[in-house]
Amino acid sequence: MKFTKMHGLGNDYIYLDCTQSMPEDPAGLARRLSDRHFGIGGDGLICLCLSARGDFKMRIFNADGSEGEMCGNGIRCLGKYVYDRGLTSRTTLQIETLAGIRQVRLHLDQGRVTGATVDMGKPAVGRPRTVFVLGRQCTGVPVSMGNPHFVVEVEEPGKLDLKLLGPELERLPCFPEGINAEFIRVIASGLLEMRVWERGSGETLACGTGACAAAAAMMAAGRMDRAVRVRLPGGELEVEWSLSDGHMYMTGPTVTVYDGQFAD
């Protein structure tokens, strides 16, 4: 089975060309391949599929096998995947996801894709709510970017024990579908720092939908400008909330690590 390992700011995925057929058990395959000791290693599996609604379709399976609605870093890399392999000559793509159609505009350097800007759609920012985690109050802002997020402002994200806190927050009964949790600190009106616990994958070095959710929460509260940088452990993303159409636009790099073949 041929695959490609790619990442956006260290948020790494295993890509399969499934335009001919899907694996019989993509969830189980995602669990096996994502294992960093006995598999390829990654935050999940992304399948390239044909689409009747867009240029291509993206299906995302997290490291635990659960299927995700959308992945900002993953969809940027999917754009690079199809362009660099000659599957399309277009630099603006319509990609179908479980969260809807997302437009991806590719950035090229000497004929190869080095990054992309994604139309992430309109964020839905809720009212702050307080939940109880490990016996303590935790107040955050629920935001939907086509998938669910909970944005929590803290003094020092780097000092949090996310391995302890993340799983407890992800599985709270008040979040029946699970939750992606962002722990953020506003550094300036145009810059915020963030760590993320991704539903089904654990802590990752970057999360595109999470960066947009965090920025949207702070922008809606009047805490930040409409165009900001989001600093993650894996690097920085640029996020803009457009006044003209109400959509959020995310820009970041795309990297192919290697192509390989997995022996079953």
Side-chain angles (χ1 to χ4, degrees):
M1 181 176 60
K2 293 181 179 180
F3 69 90
T4 298
K5 178 79 175 287
M6 307 184 77
H7 79 84
L9 297 182
N11 190 197
D12 57 341
Y13 288 92
I14 301 148
Y15 286 76
L16 297 182
D17 185 344
C18 301
T19 53
Q20 299 300 316
S21 64
M22 279 289 292
E24 290 185 5
D25 179 18
L29 187 63
R31 289 191 293 270
R32 289 176 53 212
L33 298 187
S34 298
D35 190 293
R36 296 188 184 276
H37 300 287
F38 297 100
I40 298 165
D43 291 325
L45 173 69
I46 290 183
C47 297
L48 171 70
C49 306
L50 298 177
S51 172
R53 300 174 54 206
D55 296 302
F56 299 96
K57 181 177 180 179
M58 178 176 75
R59 293 188 66 184
I60 314 141
F61 296 89
N62 298 313
D64 69 352
S66 60
E67 188 165 5
E69 298 93 342
M70 173 56 184
C71 175
N73 292 314
I75 200 170
R76 289 201 318 273
C77 289
L78 188 82
K80 177 178 176 63
Y81 182 92
V82 296
Y83 186 90
D84 285 355
R85 282 159 180 75
L87 299 176
T88 183
S89 60
R90 301 177 63 180
T91 57
T92 299
L93 304 170
Q94 305 293 326
I95 306 296
E96 179 184 354
T97 75
L98 288 182
I101 297 290
R102 294 291 184 263
Q103 180 175 285
V104 180
R105 181 165 53 86
L106 305 177
H107 306 311
L108 274 64
D109 182 12
Q110 297 183 357
R112 297 187 70 82
V113 178
T114 57
T117 297
V118 183
D119 180 347
M120 300 291 285
K122 295 182 179 180
V125 181
R127 295 181 178 179
R129 63 181 299 184
T130 299
V131 299
F132 287 86
V133 186
L134 299 172
R136 301 179 63 180
Q137 288 187 348
C138 179
T139 300
V141 179
V143 181
S144 173
M145 292 301 308
N147 57 353
H149 295 267
F150 192 61
V151 181
V152 181
E153 194 170 2
V154 298
E155 289 186 1
E156 296 184 85
K159 291 188 176 181
L160 291 177
D161 186 352
L162 250 57
K163 289 185 178 180
L164 178 64
L165 181 59
E168 295 294 326
L169 186 56
E170 177 186 350
R171 294 193 290 262
L172 285 178
C174 60
F175 302 125
E177 297 179 352
I179 202 74
N180 299 285
E182 287 76 38
F183 301 91
I184 70 166
R185 178 172 70 99
V186 176
I187 298 174
S189 61
L191 176 65
L192 67 82
E193 173 189 8
M194 184 182 102
R195 288 176 68 193
V196 59
W197 182 269
E198 287 201 59
R199 177 184 57 168
S201 294
E203 184 175 11
T204 58
L205 295 180
C207 176
T209 57
C212 291
M218 294 299 100
M219 291 173 184
R223 300 279 306 283
M224 302 196 76
D225 300 334
R226 303 287 292 199
V228 302
R229 291 179 292 124
V230 180
R231 182 175 296 165
L232 302 124
E236 290 188 355
L237 292 170
E238 297 177 12
V239 176
E240 179 182 1
W241 194 350
S242 172
L243 286 171
S244 62
D245 61 10
H247 288 214
M248 296 205 82
Y249 293 86
M250 176 201 61
T251 300
T254 59
V255 177
T256 297
V257 184
Y258 60 87
D259 295 317
Q261 188 167 306
F262 188 83
D264 198 349

